[in-house]
Amino acid sequence: MTIALALAEWAHSLHPTDTDLSLAQRSLVDTIAVTLAARDHPLVKTTSTLSELAHWASTGHVLDFDDLHMESTTHISVVIVPTVLAAGGTAEAYLAGAGVMARLGNALGWSHYARGWHATCTAGAPAAAVAASLSLGLNIEQTAHAISLAIPAAGGAQRAFGTPGKPLQVGFAAEAGLRAALLARAGARSDLRVVDDWLALVGARHIAIDTSGSAIPNGLAIKLFPCCYAMQRPIGAMRSIRSELEIRDIAAIRVCTPADTVRPLIHHNPTTGLEGKFSLEYALATALLDDFPGFASFTDAAVQRPDADSLVRLVTVELPETSDDNLLAGDVRISVQRHDGSCAEATLALPPGSPDLPPTPSEMAAKVASCGIDVPDLTASLTWENAAHLLRDQLPVLMRETASA
């Protein structure tokens, strides 16, 4: 059996548990909240000229505040939630698409991500095809062909991180999935072995797909700070000793963390807010300078603060290689040396919001509230049936292209 057909059969046979459905609802609220938070972002005017789905998904990712599947290193919900909403689907379609995305991402493996692929896009396009297929009522065979038809768009590069290209890649992946499902519904077909060959071509660590376990294996990580997930742990560690430090007393900052845990953090001397979201050095600076590293911490002006620049220049980083291969390998150790020779030190293994340390209800409420003064009310009664109407009202497009078009 081809992988495309195996994934399609799994998706159509999925019977979500109450735990799965609860995770789907949290994903819906989290994704809509961070999307609404970006309503005034400059990129939104640009993406309003795209299709409805590409507009929503790109907007949802531009602040880099959306959830993450740790094992596959993919931003699942920002691809799958908008796809389901654009195609008129429900929680079941979300869980099917999210489950396929997690499994494809796991098959691609860390080596795929470490070579510079944007796994959210490579795994996201075929997974979005599954979410759209179930939303549109396609059968198993049609769904398998939709997966194969999405493969030509399954790509993206990490070099785009810290630029508008990153969220745009996400929008294009989601859009490709819906397009593939619409084509399959109209009768388009492909060789189903395309998916097997594609996995080998992009260096998947194993070709067989594990369809056992929960809908989304090991759950999703929720970000509490609006920046790359690789920065969540360093920020958390530095915040734990912030009260012990005075900025003027700091002589040096040393960080030790496994190399893989900072793989996406490619900007060492950031000059823009977007670059700051992918900078280990700036993560430590904002954790020291700001009471809470929120949206205001990742503007161009904030990153360009003289105090921030001075702190960035004090950071030295040690990146040992380990046998682990994920963003939470080992732990992060921080040592801040004062001018008098004394040190403040912190070690952290799990940041708040990670799958094994999920956000508390109050942390989730605080995150939603930070996304806009009206966002708690707008999301209070959010359902899969009314969320699309909310996005259409809050994020209108100049060109609308929906499943019914």
Side-chain angles (χ1 to χ4, degrees):
M1 180 184 294
T2 64
I3 288 174
L5 189 56
L7 289 172
E9 288 189 350
W10 175 83
H12 279 268
S13 66
L14 178 64
H15 296 290
T17 65
D18 288 343
T19 299
D20 291 332
L21 292 170
S22 177
L23 177 59
Q25 181 63 24
R26 187 188 75 174
S27 299
L28 175 65
V29 172
D30 185 68
T31 304
I32 298 301
V34 301
T35 302
L36 295 178
R39 285 171 289 184
D40 296 326
H41 193 279
L43 186 66
V44 173
K45 182 178 180 181
T46 302
T47 60
S48 66
T49 63
L50 302 176
S51 70
E52 184 175 73
L53 174 52
H55 180 45
W56 292 349
S58 296
T59 303
H61 194 55
V62 71
L63 297 176
D64 231 291
F65 206 15
D66 48 297
D67 64 30
L68 182 75
H69 183 250
M70 295 302 304
E71 288 72 21
S72 63
T73 323
T74 58
H75 292 269
I76 283 181
S77 294
V78 78
V79 173
I80 304 302
V81 168
T83 301
V84 171
L85 298 182
T90 63
E92 288 75 13
Y94 164 79
L95 289 165
V100 166
M101 190 164 172
R103 287 165 172 81
L104 281 174
N106 285 346
L108 290 169
W110 180 258
S111 61
H112 173 79
Y113 187 86
R115 286 198 303 274
W117 288 96
H118 189 183
T120 297
C121 302
T122 43
V130 171
S133 294
L134 268 69
S135 299
L136 296 170
L138 274 60
N139 62 31
I140 292 174
E141 182 184 1
Q142 290 172 315
T143 301
H145 283 288
I147 296 171
S148 295
L149 290 167
I151 291 303
Q158 289 175 31
R159 181 48 60 187
F161 288 11
T163 76
K166 184 175 192 269
L168 285 169
Q169 288 180 164
V170 171
F172 299 154
E175 184 178 51
L178 177 56
R179 181 176 65 238
L182 290 169
L183 287 167
R185 186 176 68 173
R189 297 293 181 266
S190 178
D191 190 321
L192 297 184
R193 292 171 294 183
V194 163
V195 180
D196 303 68
D197 288 356
W198 164 74
L199 281 168
L201 287 169
V202 294
R205 61 182 176 186
H206 53 80
I207 304 302
I209 302 290
D210 183 4
T211 55
S212 63
S214 58
I216 306 176
N218 300 312
L220 297 171
I222 294 291
K223 293 183 181 180
L224 299 186
F225 311 112
C227 54
C228 179
Y229 195 80
M231 292 170 63
Q232 307 290 308
R233 189 165 65 173
I235 288 174
M238 184 62 87
R239 279 170 56 81
S240 72
I241 56 174
R242 180 173 180 265
S243 63
E244 303 173 30
L245 297 164
E246 293 288 343
I247 301 298
R248 63 178 180 274
D249 294 335
I250 297 174
I253 302 171
R254 296 182 176 85
V255 184
C256 180
T257 190
D260 282 337
T261 69
V262 294
R263 188 76 61 182
L265 304 185
I266 60 176
H267 295 285
H268 304 295
N269 295 287
T271 59
T272 69
L274 274 177
E275 289 178 354
K277 289 173 179 281
F278 298 91
S279 171
L280 172 61
E281 293 81 0
Y282 184 70
L284 305 175
T286 184
L288 285 167
L289 292 172
D290 303 321
D291 290 337
F292 186 89
F295 294 121
S297 300
F298 295 96
T299 63
D300 292 354
V303 171
Q304 294 165 11
R305 286 174 289 180
D307 284 350
D309 182 65
S310 296
L311 288 169
V312 163
R313 295 175 186 277
L314 295 178
V315 177
T316 57
V317 183
E318 180 183 351
L319 302 174
E321 297 291 340
T322 69
S323 58
D324 294 329
D325 53 0
N326 61 75
L327 290 178
L328 289 182
D331 52 35
V332 60
R333 287 174 284 157
I334 296 174
S335 176
V336 181
Q337 182 178 346
R338 302 180 183 90
H339 288 294
D340 65 7
S342 63
C343 290
E345 298 180 339
T347 299
L348 187 64
L350 295 176
S354 58
D356 292 329
L357 191 61
T360 64
S362 62
E363 286 174 330
M364 276 300 300
K367 175 176 180 176
V368 170
S370 76
C371 291
I373 191 170
D374 58 343
V375 174
D377 287 339
L378 289 173
T379 57
S381 302
L382 199 64
T383 68
W384 292 92
E385 289 72 28
N386 66 25
H389 298 293
L390 174 61
L391 289 180
R392 288 179 182 126
D393 178 64
Q394 297 291 319
L395 290 166
V397 296
L398 298 180
M399 180 187 75
R400 180 160 293 168
E401 179 184 305
T402 66
S404 61

